[in-house]
Amino acid sequence: MVSKRLYLLYFLLLPLGIAAQSNEDFHSDLTTEKKPWTHLNFQNDPDNFQFAIVTDRTGGPRPGVFEDAVEKLNWMMPEFVISVGDLIRGAQGKDSLKLAKQWGAHFERIAPLKMPFFHLAGNHDIKANNEFQVKYWNRLFGAPYYSFTYKDVLFICLFTNEGTQVLSDTQVEYFKKILEENEEVRWTMVFMHHPLWRYPHMSNFSKIEESLENRSYTVFAGHQHKYHHTNRNKNNYYVLATTGGGSELLGNSFGTFDHVTWVSMTDRGPSIANLRLDGILPHDVANDRTEKLLSDLLRGTKIQTEVFVGKGDFFEKGRAYLKCVNKADLPLYLEGGLFHNHQVVAYPKEISIEIAPQSEQWIELDLKAIKAFPLDEQVKLDFQGTLGFKNSDYPDLSLPINLGIPIRNSNYPLLPIKEVEFVEEYKVELKNTIPNSQVYYSLNGEEPGPESEIYTGPITISEQRELKARLIMDTGYMSDVQHMILRPVTAGKGLVVEHYGYDPYYIYGIRIPDYRQLTPYKISVEEELDPRKIAGRDQLFGLVYKGEIELKETGIYTLKAISDDSFRMFINGKEVLADPIKHKARETEAKVNLEAGKYPIEIHYFQHKKKYALDINLIKPSGVEEKLSSKILSYGKESY
């Protein structure tokens, strides 16, 4: 209810100009009373600014993380960067050579930064009670604790590893004086390495907190490598996580992650956001190259599984195959393994292969039953892994793979076309890429076996035949038998029709596919251009009509079609009429200039779900309208 009232109030105030304040930096050519923006209170106060905080890099440093933060801070361009300490591993005693080497490496890490970097000492940077290291720090940076103001904000940088008191009385008195001299600042920022408010022993920090009383301030610390926020004395206190330091990296809720803290200073105080390094992305994180690789990965790669277990009702042993197809121009990697199964043992259990660009590769798995079991138990092997490009430029271009491999003979598509009607002769091509196997076939209806013909090339059929074929492995395992009916017909009126079927979740859900990339399951000869009479199903199918059209007049033909769902029509190889997107029944019309004669014709039709229809009429140059039918359509050997 409250939100509705506020919404109403907003529109009641609009005529009064409440939502259209002016701004001298803003100009628009819009002169209407109403405006397409809410207000012009831009976040451009010159006193506002942004800075970033980096946190612990050591205590088990992980290479490259801090450097990654430096690169990403340059993308984001804060006005400056400040640390909460532990920038180097440190040294024991007076090892100046080791310190010099470590600080030199640190300066190399921060050299790319385009903005100022403010140092703060942690317990790795200066060991407790080590006067030598304090003097070394002072030679590099002047002092281990200091303060500065920027745009009327006071920054206090404490040194929390001074000695047994952590903060010496001298340091406390110094900061009390700084606070007294800056009573009128709009905000105070306190930085330290150890979160002293979390320790039970005396640290002298309570004295600084007393001096901070009655002013607005925020406290930042590190050291614990685990993020934590609390509200104390009505102010915000933060322990930051890591920027490359030792961490379990368990995630957000655990407070263990790599990040930089982004602080936006406003007249109402700081606005704080923690930016995980793995969530800060470059401007070209996705580009033309990654789009191409992603398309190759999603559409061009394929993992196909085939299993052959031999004859009989029980499974004892067999062989499984995984085929990996790579259509990209980079090597593709498949890594993973098979889950433990209580009924089947598979070898090898772990898989790690490289598939060369523009190639495919088969993996063979030998299967053995722990104890023979009926094949109708529907046992499955589970494979889990990843498929992707191992390339430093694209580290996250990979996909999780979860495959269920059923323990039963696969229906490997030796004969994807089950039925063919043909004119004069038809060449059957069998495709087998299974390694260490051969195709055996028969043409007389007998079941093929090791004594049958071995397929070596296309089989020419000129009379009615029942072709049967099966795969036989070098181990003797056999696939199930597949068969195909071939019937000769006489050339005549009508069209040759290729029949296609689809999975309910097929990619072509709304648009007619390119049938040249697909294989039909049946080829028939039909007299009628009516899918309702020949489809044999009422959804998820496609038809491609092929033949010739005979036109007896020269001039402009008008083509009209009512379709549901989609279709495309070609005459002499040129598309002349189309409505390719899935739709309810509607009319499409086009005109085409044709001379009298015979032309090749193709009509591609696609039916998704529910009602379906395809009716095409021609209006001849003479004005006579005629239904596209077998009167002017014919087929012959050239139609295939």
Side-chain angles (χ1 to χ4, degrees):
M1 179 64 71
V2 172
S3 61
K4 290 183 178 179
R5 287 174 179 171
L6 289 173
Y7 193 64
L8 178 60
L9 180 61
Y10 172 81
F11 279 98
L12 289 174
L13 291 175
L14 268 176
L16 302 178
I18 298 301
Q21 296 93 334
S22 63
N23 187 295
E24 61 183 12
D25 295 323
F26 175 82
H27 302 281
S28 171
D29 62 351
L30 193 63
T31 59
T32 59
E33 178 186 357
K34 300 295 179 65
K35 302 295 192 295
W37 49 80
T38 57
H39 60 76
L40 297 178
N41 295 328
F42 293 102
Q43 298 297 311
N44 59 358
D45 190 323
D47 290 331
N48 292 350
F49 62 93
Q50 291 80 36
F51 67 93
I53 309 171
V54 293
T55 182
D56 294 50
R57 193 198 71 84
T58 53
R62 286 167 287 117
V65 178
F66 194 88
E67 293 85 343
D68 184 38
V70 167
E71 180 182 11
K72 288 171 178 175
L73 287 169
N74 279 336
W75 299 344
M76 301 173 65
M77 295 299 287
E79 296 189 31
F80 60 88
V81 180
I82 192 166
S83 166
V84 290
D86 274 7
L87 296 166
I88 66 169
R89 287 191 176 190
Q92 297 298 326
K94 300 179 180 182
D95 194 340
S96 58
L97 187 63
K98 189 173 184 179
L99 286 172
K101 184 178 180 181
Q102 291 184 16
W103 281 115
H106 163 72
F107 291 135
E108 288 183 8
R109 282 190 290 272
I110 65 171
L113 275 177
K114 299 174 183 178
M115 65 289 300
F117 185 91
F118 291 82
H119 292 81
L120 182 140
N123 59 289
H124 280 266
D125 307 315
I126 302 176
K127 300 297 182 184
N129 298 312
N130 193 317
E131 288 301 320
F132 172 81
Q133 292 185 10
V134 171
K135 291 179 181 178
Y136 197 99
W137 174 281
N138 290 347
R139 287 201 301 270
L140 291 175
F141 305 116
Y145 52 85
Y146 61 99
S147 69
F148 63 92
T149 59
Y150 183 75
K151 293 191 176 181
D152 200 29
V153 175
L154 175 62
F155 290 79
I156 292 177
C157 298
L158 300 175
F159 175 38
T160 60
N161 211 35
E162 244 183 327
T164 54
Q165 282 186 303
V166 183
L167 298 178
S168 67
D169 291 337
T170 302
Q171 185 176 174
V172 170
E173 291 305 316
Y174 167 79
F175 279 113
K176 280 185 176 181
K177 183 173 179 294
I178 292 296
L179 291 167
E180 289 172 1
E181 293 173 352
N182 294 274
E183 286 185 353
E184 303 301 323
V185 294
R186 57 182 175 139
W187 209 271
T188 299
M189 301 284 190
V190 181
F191 295 85
M192 64 183 76
H193 181 65
H194 297 85
L196 299 181
W197 68 92
R198 305 193 78 185
Y199 297 119
H201 58 74
M202 290 298 293
S203 68
N204 267 343
F205 180 60
S206 59
K207 295 178 181 178
I208 289 182
E209 282 189 308
E210 289 172 6
S211 301
L212 290 166
E213 195 175 358
N214 299 321
R215 70 165 64 208
S216 299
Y217 68 92
T218 307
V219 181
F220 298 96
H223 184 64
Q224 295 184 334
H225 296 208
K226 184 176 180 181
Y227 191 90
H228 183 263
H229 163 259
T230 190
N231 191 275
R232 177 182 171 90
N233 302 326
K234 299 182 180 180
N235 289 281
N236 289 310
Y237 284 59
Y238 298 93
V239 182
L240 306 185
T242 52
T243 312
S247 176
E248 295 176 302
L249 299 178
L250 296 176
N252 297 353
S253 297
F254 292 89
T256 53
F257 46 81
D258 284 318
H259 71 121
V260 297
T261 297
W262 188 267
V263 184
S264 298
M265 191 64 216
T266 73
D267 59 359
R268 297 178 300 278
S271 173
I272 294 169
N274 290 292
L275 310 178
R276 286 181 55 137
L277 294 186
D278 57 7
I280 304 174
L281 307 175
H283 73 100
D284 61 348
V285 58
N287 51 52
D288 293 342
R289 175 65 171 149
T290 58
E291 185 175 50
K292 169 66 168 59
L293 289 173
L294 184 60
S295 176
D296 289 338
L297 189 60
L298 292 174
R299 301 177 186 176
T301 61
K302 183 173 67 172
I303 296 182
Q304 174 183 336
T305 62
E306 303 292 346
V307 179
F308 302 100
V309 299
K311 291 184 176 182
D313 298 326
F314 284 79
F315 174 74
E316 295 182 359
K317 58 183 180 178
R319 180 173 288 176
Y321 296 86
L322 273 67
K323 184 174 79 168
C324 306
V325 179
N326 179 15
K327 294 188 178 180
D329 57 5
L330 285 178
L332 194 65
Y333 294 84
L334 174 67
E335 295 179 342
L338 292 156
F339 271 52
H340 176 70
N341 188 287
H342 293 287
Q343 293 175 276
V344 180
V345 177
Y347 303 96
K349 293 181 180 179
E350 299 293 327
I351 294 170
S352 180
I353 64 165
E354 174 183 330
I355 307 103
Q358 305 294 328
S359 69
E360 62 183 48
Q361 185 170 333
W362 284 94
I363 305 165
E364 297 183 30
L365 302 172
D366 286 318
L367 311 177
K368 186 176 181 180
I370 297 172
K371 181 181 179 181
F373 58 85
L375 285 170
D376 60 9
E377 283 192 13
Q378 298 183 349
V379 175
K380 284 201 304 184
L381 288 174
D382 293 314
F383 175 86
Q384 289 190 2
T386 57
L387 182 71
F389 303 107
K390 280 188 178 177
N391 187 290
S392 59
D393 293 331
Y394 316 106
D396 58 348
L397 274 177
S398 61
L399 294 173
I401 299 297
N402 296 285
L403 292 174
I405 305 174
I407 305 302
R408 63 174 182 270
N409 270 336
S410 296
N411 188 24
Y412 184 75
L414 288 173
L415 298 168
I417 303 179
K418 306 302 180 186
E419 186 178 345
V420 173
E421 292 182 335
F422 62 91
V423 176
E424 295 184 18
E425 65 179 25
Y426 187 84
K427 288 188 177 182
V428 180
E429 293 189 35
L430 307 182
K431 295 182 180 179
N432 174 35
T433 59
I434 300 286
N436 303 316
S437 70
Q438 288 185 308
V439 180
Y440 292 78
Y441 73 95
S442 69
L443 292 170
N444 56 7
E446 293 183 357
E447 187 171 290
E451 305 302 320
S452 303
E453 292 285 333
I454 297 176
Y455 177 79
T456 57
I459 306 168
T460 301
I461 305 295
S462 57
E463 55 187 345
Q464 182 160 331
R465 292 287 189 182
E466 181 180 8
L467 170 63
K468 290 186 176 183
R470 78 177 343 150
L471 280 173
I472 301 181
M473 315 293 119
D474 59 354
T475 57
Y477 304 134
M478 297 182 184
S479 72
D480 290 337
V481 175
Q482 298 178 31
H483 68 98
M484 177 179 181
I485 302 298
L486 299 105
R487 288 191 297 270
V489 294
T490 303
K493 296 293 185 178
L495 293 170
V496 172
V497 184
E498 297 174 353
H499 300 248
Y500 299 82
Y502 304 96
D503 184 276
Y505 303 103
Y506 196 72
I507 187 172
Y508 300 109
I510 62 170
R511 185 179 182 87
I512 195 168
D514 181 355
Y515 287 109
R516 294 170 299 181
Q517 308 298 320
L518 305 175
T519 302
Y521 66 85
K522 175 182 176 181
I523 300 175
S524 65
V525 172
E526 307 292 344
E527 291 188 2
E528 297 294 330
L529 187 72
D530 188 345
R532 289 164 294 197
K533 293 184 178 180
I534 67 169
R537 53 200 298 182
D538 58 7
Q539 64 180 18
L540 301 168
F541 68 85
L543 301 171
V544 174
Y545 298 84
K546 294 181 177 180
E548 286 189 329
I549 183 170
E550 185 175 10
L551 303 175
K552 296 186 177 181
E553 298 180 18
T554 296
I556 303 295
Y557 283 80
T558 300
L559 306 173
K560 289 184 177 182
I562 295 176
S563 63
D564 180 0
D565 285 303
S566 51
F567 81 101
R568 301 174 72 190
M569 178 177 175
F570 304 83
I571 293 180
N572 204 25
K574 180 181 178 182
E575 184 175 278
V576 293
L577 187 63
D579 196 354
I581 305 297
K582 181 174 75 74
H583 56 267
K584 295 180 180 180
R586 66 188 183 195
E587 186 175 288
T588 310
E589 182 177 314
K591 296 182 184 297
V592 58
N593 190 358
L594 294 168
E595 294 186 1
K598 273 192 173 184
Y599 298 95
I601 185 172
E602 285 192 19
I603 300 167
H604 298 184
Y605 174 75
F606 176 73
Q607 158 63 2
H608 185 58
K609 292 184 178 181
K610 298 182 180 180
K611 296 179 180 179
Y612 59 105
L614 179 65
D615 295 297
I616 302 177
N617 284 13
L618 289 82
I619 302 177
K620 302 176 182 179
S622 61
V624 176
E625 186 168 350
E626 183 177 5
K627 185 179 179 64
L628 198 62
S629 67
S630 57
K631 289 183 179 180
I632 54 174
L633 301 173
S634 61
Y635 64 91
K637 183 180 179 181
E638 64 282 348
S639 302
Y640 292 81

